[in-house]
Amino acid sequence: MVNCGLLTGLNEPVPLKSISVEVRVQDHVASVSSTLQYVNEEQRPLEALFVFPLPADAAVCHFSAKIGEQEIVAELQDKETAKDQYDDAVSSGQQAFLLEESAKSPDVFKLSVGCLLPGQNAAVTIIYVTELAVQADQSLRFCLPAVLNPRYTPEGSDAGIVSEISSVCGAAPYSLTLSVHVSSPKPISKLESNCTLDPLVFLRSDHTQATVNLSPGHMFDRDVELFLYYQDTHQPSAVVEAGVATAPSDSLMRNPVVMISLYPEFPEEGMSSMANQGEFVFVMDRSGSMDWTMHRGKEAQHRIESAKDTLLLLLKSLPMGCYFNIYGFGSRFESFFPKSVEYNQDKMDQALKKVKEMRADMGGTEILQPLAHIYSQPCIPEHPRQLFIFTDGEVGNTKEVLDLVKSHARSHRCFSFGIGEGASTALITGLAREGSGHAQFITGSERMQPKVMESLRFALQPIVSNISVDWTLPERVTAETISPPIDVLFQGQRTLIYAQLKGKNLGGSEGSVTVKYNLNSQPVTNQLHFCIKPTEETGLVVHRLAARTMIRSLEQKERSPDFTRKKIKRTLAKLRKTIVKLSVQAGVSSVHTAFIGINKDTKQTVKGPLQRRRVPTYAGRMRELSGYSIPRAPLRMSGPLRAPRMRGSLPSPDWSNEEEFDCSDDEVDNQGSEAAQDLLLPLVSLQKASGCWELDAALAAVLGKTEDELTNQKPAQVDGSVWATLLALIWLYSWRKEQQVEWQFVARKAAAWITSQKVGDLSQCVCVGNVLLGCQVTKDSLGI
């Protein structure tokens, strides 16, 4: 574990004074310009070091510095050459600026500002472009990372830039301003945030352009998330961007590039029955940081407690006939069972008992070893492996972890969940990308359960196979696909394809892209027609995103075990040269390049070493873990949050009665949020693995009745379990309809179980149940 803190001493002034961010969103792509204002208030020259996060998939494409009226635009160079130039410049008294990416994690960057003279100001600007991820509710998520947690680095590993992260207690000593401009061909419905925003201002009457600003007072104690809602977000689209006429003829930047956004729509018959088979492996972070709260409200749950509630829902939602196991990991790892076991009542009860006993007591965050152990277990025939990984994502060997996942990509799907502020976007999104799954982030006052159950819905979708992409273009025009082959498709989820267009007949002609695949052994075709004439000036955003995609693929190929043997050292050097060449031509950062800028007009002899000041990054709350000293600071809010995005946190009676709900005293003490007190979890906890409920006092208590009331009203034609299960369904569809995403599979199992009992007409039973519970649902709405 990295020992974090202000290593230069708490009384030394921090040279970074403010950060100003301008975001321009075009449909589902964002261009972000961040300007950092540095001031040297000391009596001798300084070198300022700032280690900070960026989105994992960002393409950094510009770096410049302005001192007075003079602007220095940095150039991309081979990283080692850039570092040498930086050191030489600083040692000779020249002002120099260096921006480099961590070799261990692509979402961590280091900015070095060398030889900042006494009293001098410097404005450093970084520009990057990034895609916006599609959420389960069809919103587009933009995240400005403001929190960078210390990364746990396994013993013996080279932490690199990661080891230079320094944290601050309380709010960071610099301010943030943020403005957002949104434009889209589709009307903007609304914009939500986890932070306080000024009112949204529409610039056009058709609502296709709008601006919004972050309200003053943000304290850098959480990431800034924006959620954009467009009308018809899920419609397929294509953007063709013109190349640069002066670029080399054989380069990516010379020709037009097309970005295709596809939203596969599976035939209804292919989705009519969700998979009842599979091996579900839940991997839960139990490091000390999981004992922190989910957010900063008074009623916030601890992360580990929210995770335990989520595991309860997952275990109750699994289909009969599948296999499952649960792992906990920290500095070590353990599993509930030696290998995955068949899902039945006995194994589910054993697992739930162990879930109750789970604590955040396993030290640091070492995820590589449990993953390696899971992959060493043979897959179960006819039961595709589905991996669910929950972590607050603070690791230093991110690329090593992702390479392991990719090497087993054909044997499983991986669904990842980043919990709390500062989770590594590179780790969370990378796990899902390399494991052909889906990534979710749970931050602020969002509840974990709805997002996890959405991912379970994806996991239960039939696995798509034999995916192919075909292009139909005018004569003498070809498309060279840049994106890696598509390994996974999910119903309604966006898939991006980048391709380079070559040829001379690129006028107003039309082309099309066709995606073919098999769903439940049935062939399916999705097609999109588009105009191949380049659109208006887009600032080379598409080219740079395409270049970043190619660079990441080449970097991963370079890390492949096949490229680490001495006999292919020459091939490895050639691959590295290719990465550097592409990075420099496209102006996009890579692990082998860095931005270097030198002010050669300023030269002042420096006697002795420069004073070094590390700019602290807010790193959440820390605590002592496994003997490693990490400062723990209180979390603060910069102002009231807007209404929570996820619905369903209704106030309801306390469920702390141990006898009725079988909850331990420790669990009750650690609950406290409305979500934990809600009656939904107690009701779900009473369901059997088969999908039914028993007619007993515990169920009656949840439904607000006595056991005699339930028994006396039971229709004669049904037995107690059928009646109890009907009542549970009626209650869910009436009183927790807005939380249906959480209990959808619980209800599906219940309806299937009732149907299997072959009871006669149930309409009268539903009517009696409605009267008893004060509801008005129909038999058909219950799915029976």
Side-chain angles (χ1 to χ4, degrees):
M1 181 69 73
V2 181
N3 188 8
C4 298
L6 267 173
L7 304 181
T8 55
L10 294 177
N11 295 322
E12 294 173 347
V14 175
L16 179 61
K17 297 305 176 184
S18 66
I19 300 178
S20 176
V21 180
E22 295 183 3
V23 182
R24 297 192 68 86
V25 177
Q26 294 176 292
D27 202 2
H28 54 259
V29 172
S31 177
V32 183
S33 176
S34 298
T35 300
L36 297 80
Q37 293 283 349
Y38 286 90
V39 180
N40 180 6
E41 297 176 343
E42 302 188 46
Q43 300 303 312
R44 60 174 292 117
L46 286 182
E47 180 181 28
L49 300 179
F50 185 29
V51 179
F52 59 96
L54 286 181
D57 294 328
V60 179
C61 55
H62 175 87
F63 176 52
S64 62
K66 190 171 184 180
I67 301 174
E69 296 301 317
Q70 184 176 15
E71 185 174 21
I72 303 145
V73 178
E75 296 180 353
L76 258 182
Q77 294 185 8
D78 178 273
K79 181 179 286 189
E80 297 306 318
T81 303
K83 285 183 176 180
D84 290 342
Q85 289 188 10
Y86 175 82
D87 291 339
D88 291 344
V90 169
S91 63
S92 64
Q94 293 177 327
Q95 290 167 336
F97 305 85
L98 182 72
L99 180 68
E100 56 180 310
E101 175 186 320
S102 167
K104 296 295 181 181
S105 186
D107 63 343
V108 178
F109 281 74
K110 181 173 77 171
L111 171 61
S112 302
V113 180
C115 211
L116 193 60
L117 301 178
Q120 196 165 48
N121 294 271
V124 176
T125 299
I126 301 167
I127 299 177
Y128 65 86
V129 292
T130 186
E131 301 153 357
L132 303 185
V134 181
Q135 304 301 290
D137 62 357
Q138 296 302 315
S139 65
L140 297 176
R141 176 181 182 264
F142 168 76
C143 179
L144 178 71
V147 178
L148 180 57
N149 288 339
R151 300 299 205 251
Y152 180 88
T153 305
E155 187 175 352
S157 299
D158 176 20
I161 291 176
V162 173
S163 65
E164 297 180 338
I165 298 172
S166 56
S167 64
V168 63
C169 296
Y174 39 87
S175 63
L176 169 71
T177 59
L178 181 143
S179 63
V180 182
H181 181 279
V182 184
S183 62
S184 171
K186 305 155 190 168
I188 303 162
S189 302
K190 60 180 176 178
L191 191 154
E192 295 180 346
S193 177
N194 66 327
C195 300
T196 305
L197 302 176
D198 292 342
L200 183 69
V201 176
F202 288 103
L203 304 179
R204 295 173 59 104
S205 59
D206 60 2
H207 287 197
T208 57
Q209 290 190 20
T211 61
V212 70
N213 295 322
L214 181 69
S215 297
H218 184 79
M219 297 174 68
F220 266 104
D221 58 356
R222 61 188 179 276
D223 297 341
V224 179
E225 291 181 293
L226 301 175
F227 299 90
L228 302 170
Y229 294 82
Y230 299 141
Q231 292 183 19
D232 300 323
T233 307
H234 62 285
Q235 293 299 315
S237 63
V239 176
V240 180
E241 183 179 75
V244 180
T246 57
S249 59
D250 61 341
S251 69
L252 169 69
M253 305 303 289
R254 179 65 176 265
N255 297 309
V257 170
V258 59
M259 179 174 65
I260 304 290
S261 298
L262 291 177
Y263 291 82
E265 293 294 334
F266 295 167
E268 187 175 343
E269 57 272 20
M271 298 293 292
S272 57
S273 60
M274 297 295 240
N276 288 325
Q277 295 175 312
E279 178 195 10
F280 297 87
V281 182
F282 306 111
V283 185
M284 184 61 62
D285 189 341
R286 288 177 54 186
S287 63
S289 56
M290 288 292 288
D291 198 35
W292 307 343
T293 53
M294 291 292 293
H295 58 91
R296 299 155 192 80
K298 292 182 180 179
E299 303 297 323
Q301 265 188 307
H302 290 264
R303 295 177 184 177
I304 190 66
E305 295 302 323
S306 181
K308 288 161 66 172
D309 289 346
T310 302
L311 282 175
L312 166 66
L313 268 177
L314 283 168
L315 287 171
K316 295 292 184 175
S317 300
L318 293 180
M320 292 292 287
C322 73
Y323 286 75
F324 79 102
N325 203 350
I326 298 175
Y327 284 73
F329 72 93
S331 301
R332 55 186 175 85
F333 71 91
E334 60 185 33
S335 60
F336 282 15
F337 307 102
K339 62 180 182 180
S340 294
V341 295
E342 187 172 357
Y343 179 75
N344 56 39
Q345 187 65 43
D346 178 57
K347 296 302 183 185
M348 186 189 74
D349 287 342
Q350 291 182 42
L352 287 173
K353 182 178 180 181
K354 293 181 179 181
V355 167
K356 288 183 180 181
E357 298 169 353
M358 285 175 54
R359 297 290 182 267
D361 57 2
M362 297 184 74
T365 311
E366 176 96 43
I367 195 172
L368 193 64
Q369 291 183 1
L371 288 179
H373 176 79
I374 292 168
Y375 293 142
S376 71
Q377 302 288 314
C379 293
I380 302 171
E382 306 301 323
H383 288 273
R385 179 171 288 167
Q386 313 277 2
L387 201 59
F388 284 65
I389 299 177
F390 301 82
T391 180
D392 47 17
E394 303 164 5
V395 299
N397 57 339
T398 300
K399 292 182 180 178
E400 190 177 358
V401 172
L402 300 185
D403 290 345
L404 177 65
V405 174
K406 186 174 181 61
S407 67
H408 293 84
R410 295 190 177 276
S411 64
H412 80 301
R413 292 195 291 195
C414 182
F415 299 86
S416 54
F417 306 90
I419 303 170
E421 306 294 347
S424 168
T425 58
L427 178 66
I428 303 305
T429 60
L431 286 169
R433 181 182 63 249
E434 306 303 348
S436 300
H438 185 69
Q440 299 264 30
F441 289 87
I442 302 102
T443 60
S445 58
E446 288 183 319
R447 298 177 64 241
M448 188 183 303
Q449 293 85 353
K451 291 197 169 186
V452 173
M453 300 313 291
E454 281 288 351
S455 289
L456 179 61
R457 181 172 64 85
F458 291 142
L460 290 173
Q461 287 184 15
I463 292 180
V464 174
S465 60
N466 298 330
I467 304 172
S468 65
V469 177
D470 298 318
W471 300 87
T472 302
L473 299 167
E475 187 178 358
R476 292 186 296 175
V477 176
T478 60
E480 182 177 316
T481 303
I482 295 170
S483 308
I486 301 175
D487 294 322
V488 63
L489 291 172
F490 290 120
Q491 166 79 2
Q493 282 296 296
R494 183 184 66 193
T495 296
L496 286 175
I497 302 174
Y498 293 97
Q500 185 175 6
L501 299 179
K502 296 182 178 181
K504 297 182 180 180
N505 187 21
L506 296 173
S509 304
E510 187 179 81
S512 67
V513 59
T514 304
V515 179
K516 299 178 181 179
Y517 50 91
N518 288 339
L519 180 69
N520 283 335
S521 301
Q522 298 297 316
V524 181
T525 299
N526 294 145
Q527 189 174 60
L528 172 68
H529 294 271
F530 62 94
C531 177
I532 65 173
K533 181 181 179 180
T535 56
E536 297 178 4
E537 175 61 37
T538 53
L540 295 177
V541 170
V542 176
H543 278 75
R544 284 167 174 155
L545 289 173
R548 180 220 52 197
T549 299
M550 291 182 66
I551 288 170
R552 295 291 183 239
S553 296
L554 291 170
E555 289 174 347
Q556 192 165 58
K557 184 178 181 181
E558 182 186 30
R559 296 192 304 271
S560 169
D562 293 339
F563 282 86
T564 59
R565 291 178 245 156
K566 291 183 179 179
K567 65 179 182 180
I568 54 171
K569 188 175 181 179
R570 184 178 301 175
T571 305
L572 187 62
K574 184 178 179 181
L575 184 58
R576 185 182 187 278
K577 185 177 180 181
T578 301
I579 294 172
V580 172
K581 180 180 179 181
L582 177 59
S583 174
V584 171
Q585 286 183 348
V588 174
S589 64
S590 74
V591 71
H592 292 308
T593 54
F595 283 95
I596 173 73
I598 300 173
N599 183 6
K600 297 181 180 179
D601 294 337
T602 301
K603 189 170 184 179
Q604 175 176 313
T605 303
V606 178
K607 297 180 180 180
L610 290 177
Q611 292 287 334
R612 176 170 285 197
R613 299 289 180 261
R614 293 191 178 184
V615 178
T617 301
Y618 188 88
R621 297 184 300 170
M622 301 292 142
R623 66 183 306 176
E624 299 248 342
L625 301 176
S626 303
Y628 296 96
S629 177
I630 297 187
R632 184 168 185 166
L635 292 174
R636 303 175 183 174
M637 289 182 61
S638 63
L641 293 176
R642 287 177 176 256
R645 295 183 59 252
M646 303 305 293
R647 299 178 297 167
S649 300
L650 299 179
S652 48
D654 192 351
W655 59 293
S656 58
N657 188 311
E658 179 178 347
E659 180 178 351
E660 291 182 351
F661 301 120
D662 195 23
C663 296
S664 69
D665 290 337
D666 288 340
E667 281 186 304
V668 173
D669 290 341
N670 283 324
Q671 307 297 332
S673 72
E674 291 180 354
Q677 295 173 345
D678 185 18
L679 290 175
L680 175 61
L681 287 177
L683 179 68
V684 171
S685 69
L686 298 173
Q687 189 186 35
K688 300 298 182 182
S690 62
C692 72
W693 276 264
E694 291 183 350
L695 188 61
D696 56 20
L699 175 64
V702 174
L703 299 181
K705 304 293 179 181
T706 66
E707 186 175 5
D708 287 343
E709 285 179 293
L710 299 191
T711 303
N712 293 339
Q713 294 295 320
K714 182 181 76 69
Q717 70 267 34
V718 298
D719 66 18
S721 293
V722 172
W723 176 235
T725 306
L726 267 176
L727 291 176
L729 279 178
I730 291 171
W731 188 91
L732 286 171
Y733 278 96
S734 295
W735 301 113
R736 291 299 181 269
K737 182 70 173 178
E738 73 285 348
Q739 290 175 267
Q740 187 170 356
V741 68
E742 299 182 44
W743 50 260
Q744 56 184 310
F745 300 111
V746 166
R748 184 174 299 176
K749 284 173 64 175
W753 181 85
I754 290 176
T755 302
S756 71
Q757 301 305 299
K758 301 189 184 307
V759 182
D761 184 14
L762 291 171
S763 299
Q764 182 60 32
C765 298
V766 174
C767 290
V768 176
N770 276 328
V771 173
L772 179 62
L773 299 179
C775 305
Q776 295 181 343
V777 301
T778 64
K779 172 178 171 291
D780 290 341
S781 69
L782 300 179
I784 56 177

